[in-house]
Amino acid sequence: MTYERSWATLPRMCGIVGYVGKRPALSIVLDGLRRLEYRGYDSAGVAVIDRDEVLTEKRAGKLANLEKALADRVDDGIAVGSTAIGHTRWATHGGPTDRNAHPHASGDGRIAVIHNGIIENFSRLRAEIEATGVEFTSDTDTECAAHLLAAEMRALRESGSPEGPQTLAEGMRRAVSRLEGAFTLLAVDVQTPDAVVAARRNSPLVVGRGAGENFLASDVSAFIEHTREAIELGQDQVVLITPGGIEITDFAGAPAAGKEFHIDWDASAAEKGGYDYFMLKEIAEQPQAIADTLLGRLSERGDIVLDEVRLTDQDLRDVDKVFIVACGTAYHAGMVAKYAIEHWTRIPCEVELASEFRYRDPVLDRSTLVVAVSQSGETMDTLMALRHAKQQKARVLAICNTNGSTIPRESDAVLYTHGGPEIAVASTKAFLTQLVACYLIGLHLAQVRGVMYADEVAAVVSRLRRTPDALRELLGKMEDVRALARDLKSSSTVLFIGRHVGYPVALEGALKLKELAYMHAEGFAAGELKHGPIALIDKGTPVVCVVPSPAGRGVMRDKVVSNIQEVRARGARTIVIAEQGDDGVVAYADHLIEVPRTPTLLAPLMTTVPLQILACEIAAARGHDVDQPRNLAKSVTVE
Ligand code: G6P
């Protein structure tokens, strides 16, 4: 398995299923949702067409809540209709409630839509739709799509288009031409009972080809029980499925083709997108997770957009000190953030382990901003640090991957990382998206306080937007790292060194190795080596060295190169992570891992990734359970 495989079908936020055929659709769609539940599980819903009705049921919480609600409806048409769509949600716009769960209906209830992705221009669209007298019944961006599709269908009928699947497909093409951002949309229309239409831009969608029935899903695991013949949709395509047909066009209506393939994985591998472990899948998802976290972050005026803000700009201008509190990998993201926040805002910034924070009586007041970073939003140490900060009247801003969890709920402002569910205990894509979120917070503060111009902010955001491509390139070249991992699997210790933002990367590399491979590993600030750790170096000790970009502060890079020479002179086996084109390091590297060029402060988005893969592969080579390492939990809700 390589890391660059099939980006188009890699899952992220939300699971989507569609069915049209002769069998009762509900149970097929529910089975599919069960298989997709790993993708998001904060709410779920279905819409089934039975005769002249769209029957919908949706519930917050796990799929079991939806199934319980459906159990009471066995006698109505929802259990027998043979066209249906279903959704399991990972909330982005709008908290995880019943009303925000998908499907979303048009005002007349004749159309139902489900969506995966983020519609970037939704607030503009919503204002425009509301101005026509439509009332929204949810806080989601998705509902815009339902109203837009209904309006297009009305317009098509009024202009004499015949009822039928072709008109539904045309309505979808017209509706999606209004949308910006990322979306897979599936829709059913009661006027066209034997069809499901879907559109895809930047979010995954596959078609399952059956006999007298067809399927749609965000990944093949949803329909693998029924068919192994699949078609991966291309970018900007619309697909119409009926019991006997699959028709694909581009957004302009010209015939198009998807990529046909035969699924040769079993069902459990399919859930992991064909990867051996969720961790590998999540590593591979990182480019998309970064792109998603960046979606919609620059307003038309060029301001950085947070998700929920219960603070005024004046509150942020009054900030005279920033504390970042977090645990584990999130703490390392905070350490990187310190460099960026201080550099861009000139506000002093401290990073503290959440478990230590409140016990040392930190000096906090109204003008302190505490940034709580947490993937789960439920880590008790971080939550307690946040509550302590609030008691002291500090302002609290959360960076979180889980919409509606406790930490963002109790914070004054929130920036969600749109990384999608992270299943593997060891954090990977959450870390990179936390970095992106931290950069955005730094830029937001700098902008509000007037120390950076909008165009300077936009320049950094545009550099960030280029990182997913660079990361894809890097992920495509990880074979040497895998070979190295097999080679290092019996080492008794591995040391990691770095300077500046490379220092937290070194700590993160060591943490990954400890938690996954159960090996002794330590990360050090490269400059500290000579004050003690260098005594650990013995003949053959592997030392991973994270080299800063020579294009940043040359002197910093040169110092790390000297540190590499120092450890080498004492017998270390050096594994050097350096920027492409930094030829000066080649002579000191027993193994060289090149990463694409990236601005100094953003470099951890690249340099961390080989270390994730190294740890994952060493753990696998040692025969460990990569996704669920011993003694650890994904979310630690005790202090
Ligand atoms: C646990 C996990 C780590 C994670 C840390 C913080 O220890 O095993 O992977 O970094 O908690 O979790 P959070 O959800 O707050 O980011």
Side-chain angles (χ1 to χ4, degrees):
M1 178 62 60
T2 58
Y3 297 88
E4 74 284 12
R5 66 163 290 280
S6 195
W7 296 105
T9 53
L10 274 176
R12 61 176 172 186
M13 295 169 279
C14 305
I16 279 185
V17 192
Y19 172 82
V20 61
K22 299 278 177 276
R23 297 190 275 164
L26 181 66
S27 61
I28 293 171
V29 165
L30 283 175
D31 282 349
L33 291 182
R34 227 166 277 129
R35 291 215 176 276
L36 295 180
E37 210 184 5
Y38 73 91
R39 299 166 56 97
Y41 32 72
D42 63 36
S43 47
V46 290
V48 179
I49 299 203
D50 180 49
R51 289 175 294 255
D52 54 354
E53 272 186 295
V54 182
L55 301 165
T56 302
E57 189 66 68
K58 49 192 201 169
R59 284 287 185 274
K62 295 222 167 216
L63 193 57
N65 292 2
L66 174 69
E67 289 173 315
K68 220 157 105 211
L70 284 164
D72 298 335
R73 295 186 58 171
V74 278
D75 294 333
D76 81 11
I78 203 161
V80 296
S82 56
T83 301
I85 53 177
H87 189 265
T88 167
R89 181 166 187 247
W90 177 258
T92 54
H93 282 96
T97 59
D98 283 356
R99 64 194 279 275
N100 287 335
H102 300 211
H104 291 284
S106 56
D108 58 10
R110 305 192 73 81
I111 281 175
V113 168
I114 55 178
H115 167 220
N116 171 16
I118 297 168
I119 298 172
E120 277 192 278
N121 57 336
F122 102 102
S123 42
R124 225 178 323 133
L125 287 173
R126 180 171 175 143
E128 189 187 301
I129 297 165
E130 281 177 331
T132 66
V134 171
E135 266 184 48
F136 275 67
T137 57
S138 76
D139 312 314
T140 63
D141 50 346
T142 307
E143 199 181 334
C144 288
H147 296 308
L148 281 175
L149 178 57
E152 295 296 349
M153 293 306 292
R154 266 195 308 276
L156 282 164
R157 283 179 190 123
E158 277 160 24
S159 67
S161 297
E163 288 302 343
Q166 298 306 335
T167 303
L168 180 60
E170 179 57 18
M172 180 60 106
R173 285 190 287 268
R174 291 185 181 194
V176 294
S177 72
R178 304 290 320 282
L179 306 180
E180 289 165 20
F183 47 82
T184 296
L185 286 168
L186 262 63
V188 289
D189 177 356
V190 79
Q191 311 281 110
T192 317
D194 291 324
V196 181
V197 69
R200 165 176 190 241
R201 168 177 287 168
N202 289 327
S203 282
L205 181 61
V206 280
V207 183
R209 186 194 292 282
E213 58 184 8
N214 286 305
F215 306 80
L216 291 167
S218 29
D219 80 57
V220 296
S221 55
F223 54 69
I224 200 164
E225 279 177 74
H226 308 288
T227 177
R228 293 194 163 221
E229 300 313 315
I231 307 170
E232 180 184 324
L233 237 59
Q235 271 294 34
D236 289 3
Q237 290 186 340
V238 166
V239 61
L240 176 73
I241 59 164
T242 54
I246 298 166
E247 284 176 45
I248 303 172
T249 67
D250 64 18
F251 280 3
K259 202 171 98 201
E260 309 231 357
F261 63 102
H262 176 79
I263 308 156
D264 50 11
W265 318 319
D266 65 11
S268 87
E271 268 180 27
K272 294 174 187 153
Y275 290 89
D276 291 342
Y277 314 105
F278 276 110
M279 184 177 175
L280 283 177
K281 179 172 85 67
E282 287 158 10
I283 288 172
E285 282 174 336
Q286 292 183 115
Q288 193 61 58
I290 291 176
D292 287 346
T293 302
L294 286 167
L295 266 182
R297 291 300 178 195
L298 267 191
S299 74
E300 272 157 36
R301 286 185 41 210
D303 299 327
I304 298 277
V305 180
L306 307 185
D307 292 292
E308 292 167 22
V309 191
R310 296 171 277 269
L311 286 175
T312 63
D313 281 0
Q314 190 55 47
D315 291 332
L316 293 178
R317 278 193 280 274
D318 289 343
V319 168
D320 61 12
K321 173 103 195 223
V322 177
F323 274 107
I324 301 176
V325 291
C327 304
T329 289
Y331 170 71
H332 295 151
M335 286 182 74
V336 174
K338 174 185 163 75
Y339 293 89
I341 290 177
E342 289 193 336
H343 184 75
W344 288 331
T345 68
R346 313 306 301 149
I347 313 172
C349 175
E350 281 186 40
V351 194
E352 183 120 9
L353 289 168
S355 53
E356 288 293 316
F357 184 67
R358 67 183 172 138
Y359 298 107
R360 71 164 181 84
D361 217 359
V363 182
L364 302 163
D365 60 29
R366 250 170 223 296
S367 42
T368 314
L369 179 70
V370 172
V371 179
V373 188
S374 174
Q375 188 285 129
S376 61
E378 301 294 347
T379 300
M380 191 54 77
D381 288 320
T382 311
L383 180 61
M384 288 304 168
L386 176 163
R387 287 185 179 157
H388 179 74
K390 288 201 87 177
Q391 273 162 12
Q392 309 292 308
K393 308 279 182 260
R395 318 285 182 176
V396 180
L397 190 159
I399 291 176
C400 185
N401 195 37
T402 313
N403 198 309
S405 55
T406 312
I407 288 172
R409 270 207 323 266
E410 296 195 13
S411 298
D412 300 306
V414 185
L415 198 156
Y416 283 111
T417 51
H418 296 310
E422 194 177 63
I423 310 294
V425 166
S427 188
T428 53
K429 64 176 177 170
F431 177 68
L432 290 206
T433 56
Q434 282 161 353
L435 291 179
V436 170
C438 287
Y439 295 134
L440 291 171
I441 299 284
L443 294 172
H444 184 60
L445 280 174
Q447 194 169 41
V448 168
R449 298 164 68 87
V451 289
M452 267 173 110
Y453 295 118
D455 54 355
E456 292 174 296
V457 169
V460 181
V461 173
S462 126
R463 282 300 311 192
L464 281 168
R465 289 208 163 119
R466 274 148 62 190
T467 54
D469 280 343
L471 204 47
R472 283 186 186 106
E473 181 197 324
L474 177 64
L475 285 163
K477 297 182 186 157
M478 287 290 104
E479 268 318 302
D480 287 354
V481 176
R482 304 182 74 188
L484 177 64
R486 289 189 288 274
D487 214 30
L488 292 181
K489 76 169 194 192
S490 306
S491 302
S492 55
T493 185
V494 180
L495 305 180
F496 295 74
I497 59 169
R499 239 174 229 266
H500 191 254
V501 291
Y503 169 40
V505 171
L507 293 178
E508 176 61 9
L511 175 64
K512 281 283 157 289
L513 206 52
K514 285 182 237 193
E515 58 186 348
L516 294 170
Y518 320 149
M519 278 164 79
H520 177 253
E522 291 290 333
F524 302 108
E528 274 295 292
L529 270 179
K530 55 188 175 296
H531 300 296
I534 203 161
L536 291 169
I537 311 279
D538 208 345
K539 195 163 165 17
T541 306
V543 181
V544 178
C545 314
V546 185
V547 183
S549 166
R553 228 172 249 156
V555 63
M556 201 159 74
R557 176 260 181 203
D558 295 346
K559 290 230 163 81
V560 174
V561 174
S562 305
N563 299 137
I564 300 174
Q565 288 173 270
E566 283 157 20
V567 293
R568 227 164 169 254
R570 284 152 183 90
R573 172 180 179 185
T574 56
I575 298 143
V576 175
I577 302 185
E579 224 177 62
Q580 277 160 6
D582 185 358
D583 299 333
V585 296
V586 177
Y588 312 111
D590 293 311
H591 302 268
L592 179 64
I593 302 171
E594 288 189 311
V595 297
R597 290 186 178 195
T598 321
T600 300
L601 286 167
L602 311 188
L605 291 171
M606 298 296 138
T607 48
T608 311
V609 175
L611 304 187
Q612 297 169 339
I613 291 168
L614 190 69
C616 180
E617 297 288 351
I618 293 180
R622 287 164 71 102
H624 299 323
D625 182 341
V626 169
D627 287 334
Q628 290 183 324
R630 70 182 182 199
N631 306 340
L632 296 178
K634 184 70 187 155
S635 175
V636 184
T637 52
V638 289
E639 265 194 282

